[in-house]
């Protein structure tokens, strides 16, 4: 396996069962149309992801996380990834505003799960279970993926609530390991989640970069600090 270079991460092979996931300082938004390099972003995202993967593992969710390997690198289990982005939403924000006649900030009566086909060329279109089946992903697999995504949501939503932060929405990616198990992969960081301060509703995530709402490193640093503060 060769080194795989994505927009925000690099995947470096380690051995038969493990790879290194290196978080870059590069920030991109709007399908790569907006770009910047922000010193320290890679390290913050690696640390936040490691912390959240540990929280999930402690709560019985199978993740690819094995350990930390330096400031901006994690050792993770090698997975065969599903070409899916699984989004879970608790509060109306982002693209949901273009889909439902609801105002930003409206709490949803129950979490909403969405599936997207991960393909930059097509602009990551939203798909349903029937489309997934055509892509070779069975209904049983989708069911397990959605069930796990909702479990991740309930664990993390409570975890952030205790720290005065609203988990608005987030994106997950899943894969299969060597044993054939469905495992949570990729990252869980302010690049892939929306976090709002519960009192001020201020963004502590990539929306700071997307919509020029301030200093991304300051926002990610504050988020990480608040996670470390409350054990
Ligand atoms: P939306 O559909 O509102 O743009 O995104 C919903 C949530 O999923 C947000 O927390 C957003 O950060 C995350 N998300 C959706 N697609 C992507 C993607 O392609 N890359 C990243 N980093 N996050 C995504």
């Amino acid at each position: 396996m060769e080194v795989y270079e994505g927009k925000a991460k690099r995947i470096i092979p380690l051995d038969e069962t493990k790879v290194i996931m290196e978080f870059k300082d590069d920030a991109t938004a709007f399908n790569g149309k907006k770009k910047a390099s922000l010193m320290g972003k890679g390290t913050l995202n690696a640390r936040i992801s490691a912390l959240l993967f540990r929280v999930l593992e402690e709560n019985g969710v199978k993740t690819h996380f094995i350990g930390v390997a330096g400031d901006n690198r994690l050792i993770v289990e090698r997975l065969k990834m599903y070409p899916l982005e699984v989004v879970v939403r608790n509060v109306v924000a982002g693209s949901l505003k273009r889909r439902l006649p609801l105002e930003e900030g409206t709490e949803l009566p129950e979490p909403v799960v969405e599936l997207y086909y991960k393909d930059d060329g097509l602009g990551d279109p939203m798909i349903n279970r029937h489309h997934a089946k055509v892509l070779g992903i069975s209904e049983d697999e989708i069911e397990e993926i959605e069930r796990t995504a909702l479990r991740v949501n309930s664990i993390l939503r409570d975890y952030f609530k205790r720290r005065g932060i609203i988990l608005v929405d987030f994106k997950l990616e899943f894969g299969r390991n060597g044993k054939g198990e469905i495992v949570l992969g990729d990252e869980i960081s302010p690049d892939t989640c929306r976090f709002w301060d519960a009192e001020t509703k201020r963004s502590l995530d990539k929306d700071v970069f997307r919509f020029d709402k301030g200093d991304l490193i300051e926002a990610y640093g504050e988020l990480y600090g608040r996670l470390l503060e409350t054990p």
Side-chain angles (χ1 to χ4, degrees), residues 85 87 89 94-95 124 169-171 191-194 210:
E85 296 192 343
V87 169
R89 303 175 184 275
S95 68
D124 296 345
D169 56 31
F170 57 93
K171 182 259 305 177
D191 266 15
T192 59
C193 306
R194 283 196 176 93
R210 289 190 188 102

Side-chain angles (χ1 to χ4, degrees), residues 37-210:
S37 179
L38 304 163
M39 209 173 62
K41 180 174 98 77
T43 297
L44 278 163
N45 277 349
R47 292 195 179 159
I48 293 165
S49 278
L51 193 153
L52 296 177
F53 278 132
R54 282 196 183 108
V55 169
L56 292 174
E57 288 277 352
E58 281 163 15
N59 283 279
V61 175
K62 242 179 269 151
T63 80
H64 67 161
F65 179 72
I66 296 171
V68 173
D71 284 352
N72 65 337
R73 290 176 157 201
L74 306 183
I75 300 172
V76 298
E77 190 175 17
R78 195 188 281 260
L79 300 180
K80 186 163 177 356
M81 297 304 290
Y82 288 101
L84 292 179
E85 296 192 343
V86 183
V87 169
V88 183
R89 303 175 184 275
N90 298 305
V91 175
V92 176
S95 68
L96 190 61
K97 287 181 290 186
R98 299 193 292 272
R99 215 172 283 285
L100 296 178
L102 297 173
E103 272 197 37
E104 174 152 277
T106 310
E107 194 171 332
L108 294 161
E110 58 183 271
V112 168
V113 183
E114 298 169 349
L115 301 174
Y116 294 85
Y117 175 52
K118 192 175 160 78
D119 184 309
D120 280 342
L122 292 176
D124 296 345
M126 190 193 253
I127 61 165
N128 63 29
R129 285 162 182 246
H130 301 275
H131 297 114
K133 221 165 165 184
V134 172
L135 296 172
I137 309 167
S138 73
E139 287 199 27
D140 286 350
E141 287 171 292
I142 291 293
E143 209 156 286
E144 185 171 340
I145 286 170
E146 290 194 353
R147 206 182 329 115
T148 308
L150 285 169
R151 180 146 169 64
V152 168
N153 183 49
S154 88
I155 296 164
L156 293 186
R157 197 180 179 178
D158 286 353
Y159 175 85
F160 281 100
K161 194 176 176 187
R162 290 197 294 277
R163 287 151 182 87
I165 296 163
I166 301 169
L167 176 59
V168 173
D169 56 31
F170 57 93
K171 182 259 305 177
L172 301 175
E173 295 185 24
F174 291 85
R176 268 194 193 273
N177 66 11
K179 289 186 256 172
E181 298 165 320
I182 296 180
V183 174
L184 178 62
D186 197 49
E187 69 183 289
I188 312 177
S189 75
D191 266 15
T192 59
C193 306
R194 283 196 176 93
F195 300 115
W196 292 354
D197 178 86
E199 272 183 24
T200 63
K201 305 289 188 292
R202 191 163 59 89
S203 294
L204 298 170
D205 58 56
K206 197 161 123 182
D207 275 354
V208 170
F209 171 73
R210 289 190 188 102

